[in-house]
């Protein structure tokens, strides 16, 4: 964790909100930071009753100005179908080092085949090409006869990654509520931040 948080942030609502964004923005670039791999929750409405669906994703971008949190995924995945059907979604982050849980509610949408997706695809193809390799294979969840083909560790060229493009989805999560829970021996601190338009309200709540 490289974010430098203000002294006493945990006792101040505004500083707590600021710290959340500092932590998430820093986590994007820190491979070992647990805050980089939140759990994304969606609603699976394909059965008789809607059921929650959870999975880890890598946080690829965090923007404190827009409040957007971004990830990339396979356009053929279950989560993509779930979000197309129902954009209501949640993210759960936990930092064991800080004993800080961050719960986020909002909506998530996927960019597939558009200019925003293309910009991100090209950026990732140049900076982290290995993360696009899953999109070259069979659709997630496809039964296999055996183990998947071994992926080469060599440097992949942009042109070789192009077949991944139709399957690439850039997910943008727009929060409407953020809750923090800091486990603290003095008394746990739980705060709720709600967005109305461009404004956020803040409130301490019982843990
Ligand atoms: C640490 C970790 C990070 C992951 N990051 C991503 C990711 O960024 N995008 C993604 O689509 N799947 C990611 N996965 C795989 C998903 O958790 C999930 O297995 C896969 O996307 C299929 O999910 P679905 O069938 O619910 O769509 C990650 C898994 C782990 C364990």
């Amino acid at each position: 964790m490289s974010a430098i948080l203000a002294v006493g942030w945990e006792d101040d609502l505004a500083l707590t909100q600021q710290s959340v964004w500092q932590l998430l923005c820093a986590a994007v670039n820190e491979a070992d930071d647990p805050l980089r791999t939140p759990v994304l929750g969606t609603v699976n409405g394909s059965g008789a009753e809607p059921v929650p669906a959870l999975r880890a994703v890598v946080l690829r971008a965090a923007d404190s100005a827009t409040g957007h949190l971004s990830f990339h995924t396979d356009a053929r995945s279950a989560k993509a179908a779930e979000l197309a059907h129902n954009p209501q979604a949640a993210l759960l982050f936990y930092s064991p080092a800080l004993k800080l849980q961050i719960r986020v509610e909002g909506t998530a949408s996927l960019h597939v085949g558009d200019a925003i997706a293309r910009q991100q695809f090209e950026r990732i193809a140049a900076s982290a090409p290995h993360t696009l390799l899953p999109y070259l294979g069979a659709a997630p969840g496809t039964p296999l006869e055996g183990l998947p083909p071994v992926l080469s560790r060599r440097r992949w060229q942009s042109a070789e990654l192009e077949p991944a493009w139709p399957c690439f989805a850039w997910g943008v999560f727009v929060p409407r509520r953020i809750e923090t829970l800091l486990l603290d021996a003095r008394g746990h601190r739980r705060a709720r931040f709600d967005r109305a338009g461009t404004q956020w309200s803040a409130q301490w709540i019982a843990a």
Side-chain angles (χ1 to χ4, degrees), residues 36-38 42 53-60 71-74 76-80 82 135 140-141:
R36 188 167 181 260
T37 47
T42 51
L54 306 174
R55 80 288 286 162
V57 292
V58 174
L59 182 67
R60 299 285 174 189
F71 56 95
H72 67 70
T73 192
D74 195 313
R76 305 166 294 177
S77 65
K79 74 180 85 50
E82 288 155 9
Y135 309 142

Side-chain angles (χ1 to χ4, degrees), residues 125-151:
S127 59
H130 58 283
T131 71
L132 298 175
L133 298 182
Y135 309 142
L136 293 171
T142 304
L144 301 175
E145 293 303 323
L147 288 172
V150 175
L151 293 171

Side-chain angles (χ1 to χ4, degrees), residues 24-196:
L24 297 184
C25 291
V28 167
N29 297 311
E30 292 187 38
D32 297 334
D33 190 335
L35 294 176
R36 188 167 181 260
T37 47
V39 172
L40 170 68
T42 51
V43 180
N44 179 347
S46 64
E49 298 285 345
V51 292
L54 306 174
R55 80 288 286 162
V57 292
V58 174
L59 182 67
R60 299 285 174 189
D63 184 338
S64 59
T66 60
H68 293 180
L69 300 165
S70 303
F71 56 95
H72 67 70
T73 192
D74 195 313
R76 305 166 294 177
S77 65
K79 74 180 85 50
E82 288 155 9
L83 288 171
H85 188 251
N86 183 347
Q88 300 302 321
L91 286 167
L92 174 70
F93 301 81
Y94 180 63
S95 166
L98 290 170
K99 296 190 170 66
L100 177 67
Q101 172 176 265
I102 304 170
R103 299 164 73 183
V104 189
E105 288 175 27
T107 54
S109 54
L110 299 183
H111 292 270
V112 181
D114 65 11
I116 290 173
R118 188 69 205 177
Q119 186 185 18
Q120 296 300 334
F121 182 83
E122 288 179 8
R123 182 179 67 84
I124 293 161
S127 59
H130 58 283
T131 71
L132 298 175
L133 298 182
Y135 309 142
L136 293 171
T142 304
L144 301 175
E145 293 303 323
L147 288 172
V150 175
L151 293 171
S152 164
R153 287 171 180 254
R154 70 188 163 79
R155 182 82 196 170
W156 289 71
Q157 302 300 315
S158 304
E160 294 177 287
L161 294 169
E162 203 51 37
W165 161 240
C167 303
F168 176 81
W170 181 251
V172 178
F173 189 105
V174 182
R176 65 168 169 273
R177 167 171 288 179
I178 298 176
E179 269 194 29
T180 56
L181 174 67
L182 179 75
L183 303 179
D184 190 312
R186 297 172 298 163
H188 303 328
R189 279 142 173 72
R190 183 174 173 189
R192 177 176 286 168
F193 305 94
D194 283 313
R195 172 155 49 188

